[in-house]
Amino acid sequence: MNRGFLIVGNKAVTKPFSLNDLAGSAGRMDILCRFIAQALFISHGIRKNVEVYLLLLGEPEPPKAIKIVGKEVKTMAPDERNIAGLIRKALKIECNKNWKRSTSGIYISKKNLKELLDELTNRYKIVYLKETGKDIRNFVKQIDKDCLFILGDHLGLSEEQERIVKDYASEVISVSPISLQADQCVVIVHYELDRSTIF
Amino acid sequence: MNRGFLIVGNKAVTKPFSLNDLAGSAGRMDILCRFIAQALFISHGIRKNVEVYLLLLGEPEPPKAIKIVGKEVKTMAPDERNIAGLIRKALKIECNKNWKRSTSGIYISKKNLKELLDELTNRYKIVYLKETGKDIRNFVKQIDKDCLFILGDHLGLSEEQERIVKDYASEVISVSPISLQADQCVVIVHYELDRSTIF
């Protein structure tokens, strides 16, 4: 089954940025890079059944959405700097509401959260990951459709963003008894899904 | 309970390195930085009950060991570049067989694998993480002592390293049905331990 992950980067900049300051002037782009790495990479390989979506809401031209398609990605390493370089390249493209290809497997558009979810709800069951949700360990036993998991960055989702997500989400799921970083949540989702489908 | 993590960096350099080439000339220092990040950080905080050990075996002065003590760490962010900067600072210190403090919570010495394990076996049950081991989900139910988990980098452990580790390890444990990166294994160990002790 396919797996999708979407993160909202509330401060992530929408123009090319310095690779030497991902956590600062790039608006916590480091969080998004780690999110991508944990969604796509296993040891010595990439998960072909994964799509990653980033919603960038930082200055100067929000919103911008980036899509990364695991089965198309060719030149990506799991370190933050390498992934950031690919995002920076995508941000150099003049974009509109349609997906435009930047490098292999990486696309960019001007979609906002609602437009992204309108597109994704046809192909995925939308799942909102939040600490107060139901235990993922029970949830994975009942999955009958490809799921897209939505997470916030270090700031979480705003009330308005959460309202939109809840309009589309059929489930609110928790991955841990303690509050974790977004990329750690992705590792746990993969782990529980791997166990339920491979073991 | 306390938790320890040790990674063997077979190519990780033992001198100060460029922060702009962690995955290249620094000998996959990016892997070690992500390992530290996933061992120490949760959302908006550091796990105080964690110690991380790095064994650096790259040129020009192997071995060097670095120890990071969660409850003492003051100035660290989870991005690779920030953590790499702290490791680089430690590598500027002239070191011997005793731990020398570099910055808050970060120590360096000239210990090799056997000397590290001789020191750690007094305080921890030594657990070797390997794909062919027993399922972690059963293991966490029986833990009665602080555990130190040992992992290889992208090259894994050599036969000689594995022989030494197995002399000290009371268990060989697997964290996933598929082969994962070292930092992903750390996330899963924390997750299973969190569930078994907090839920």
Side-chain angles (χ1 to χ4, degrees), chain B residues 80-121:
Chain B
E80 290 170 21
R81 192 178 178 88
N82 180 280
I83 294 173
L86 294 168
I87 296 175
R88 183 173 69 166
K89 197 172 270 189
L91 287 172
K92 289 180 180 166
I93 293 176
E94 190 78 37
C95 61
N96 57 35
K97 292 288 181 188
N98 299 314
W99 293 111
K100 275 194 194 169
R101 182 179 174 284
S102 169
T103 47
S104 56
I106 303 184
Y107 301 82
I108 189 163
S109 77
K110 279 290 292 171
K111 293 179 202 286
N112 62 27
L113 182 57
K114 189 167 180 323
E115 289 161 339
L116 262 182
L117 292 176
D118 267 340
E119 175 180 323
L120 293 168
T121 197

Side-chain angles (χ1 to χ4, degrees), chain A residues 3 5 38 47 129 135-137 140 149 174-178 180-195, chain B residues 47 137 184 186-192 194-195:
Chain A
R3 302 173 189 176
F5 296 93
Q38 299 298 15
R47 291 181 188 262
L129 287 188
D135 186 357
I136 189 169
R137 197 162 286 181
V140 292
F149 299 88
S174 164
V175 299
S176 172
I178 56 179
L180 298 178
Q181 300 194 0
D183 60 333
Q184 297 168 338
C185 297
V186 171
V187 174
I188 293 168
V189 168
H190 272 318
Y191 169 65
E192 288 288 355
L193 288 171
D194 290 343
R195 287 190 72 110
Chain B
R47 292 180 186 263
R137 198 162 286 181
Q184 297 168 338
V186 170
V187 174
I188 293 168
V189 168
H190 272 319
Y191 169 65
E192 288 288 356
D194 289 343
R195 286 191 73 107

Side-chain angles (χ1 to χ4, degrees), chain B residues 146-197:
Chain B
D146 293 348
C147 290
L148 177 101
F149 299 88
I150 302 183
L151 294 88
D153 60 3
H154 61 301
L155 302 175
L157 296 192
S158 69
E159 277 184 32
E160 169 65 9
Q161 289 164 354
E162 190 165 81
R163 196 186 55 67
I164 296 171
V165 166
K166 283 187 171 170
D167 274 352
Y168 291 85
S170 53
E171 303 271 0
V172 183
I173 298 299
S174 165
V175 299
S176 173
I178 57 179
S179 184
L180 297 178
Q181 301 194 359
D183 60 332
Q184 297 168 338
C185 297
V186 170
V187 174
I188 293 168
V189 168
H190 272 319
Y191 169 65
E192 288 288 356
L193 288 172
D194 289 343
R195 286 191 73 107
S196 75
T197 53

Side-chain angles (χ1 to χ4, degrees), chain A residues 11-199:
Chain A
K11 300 290 180 194
V13 296
T14 43
K15 65 173 183 199
F17 49 84
S18 163
L19 297 180
N20 295 341
D21 193 24
L22 301 180
S25 54
R28 294 310 307 271
M29 197 64 76
D30 62 313
I31 293 176
L32 276 56
C33 294
R34 291 197 292 279
F35 182 81
I36 295 167
Q38 299 298 15
L40 286 179
F41 285 90
I42 53 176
S43 183
H44 305 290
I46 281 184
R47 291 181 188 262
K48 304 286 185 199
N49 64 337
V50 167
E51 284 184 351
V52 185
Y53 293 85
L54 315 177
L55 183 62
L56 313 181
L57 298 178
E59 294 302 323
E61 294 171 17
K64 288 189 179 173
I66 288 179
K67 170 168 75 165
I68 305 171
V69 181
K71 67 180 177 219
E72 297 176 17
V73 167
K74 286 209 178 72
T75 53
M76 185 187 284
D79 60 293
E80 288 169 23
R81 191 178 178 88
N82 180 281
I83 295 172
L86 294 168
I87 296 175
R88 183 173 67 166
K89 198 173 269 188
L91 287 173
K92 289 179 180 165
I93 292 175
E94 190 77 37
C95 61
N96 58 35
K97 292 287 181 187
N98 298 313
W99 293 110
K100 275 193 192 170
R101 182 179 175 286
S102 168
T103 48
S104 55
I106 303 184
Y107 302 82
I108 188 162
S109 76
K110 279 291 292 171
K111 293 179 202 287
N112 63 26
L113 181 58
K114 189 166 181 325
E115 290 160 339
L116 262 181
L117 292 176
D118 267 339
E119 174 180 324
L120 293 168
T121 196
N122 296 319
R123 293 163 39 219
Y124 290 105
K125 179 198 276 252
I126 308 293
V127 179
Y128 178 28
L129 287 188
K130 190 173 177 163
E131 286 120 30
T132 51
K134 290 186 281 183
D135 186 357
I136 189 169
R137 197 162 286 181
N138 298 323
F139 171 69
V140 292
K141 294 177 193 157
Q142 324 149 359
I143 293 180
D144 54 1
K145 196 183 165 187
D146 294 348
C147 291
L148 177 101
F149 299 88
I150 302 181
L151 295 87
D153 60 3
H154 61 302
L155 301 174
L157 296 192
S158 69
E159 275 183 35
E160 169 66 8
Q161 290 164 352
E162 190 164 81
R163 197 187 53 69
I164 296 172
V165 166
K166 284 187 170 170
D167 274 352
Y168 291 86
S170 54
E171 303 272 0
V172 183
I173 297 298
S174 164
V175 299
S176 172
I178 56 179
S179 184
L180 298 178
Q181 300 194 0
D183 60 333
Q184 297 168 338
C185 297
V186 171
V187 174
I188 293 168
V189 168
H190 272 318
Y191 169 65
E192 288 288 355
L193 288 171
D194 290 343
R195 287 190 72 110
S196 74
T197 52
I198 298 175
F199 268 169

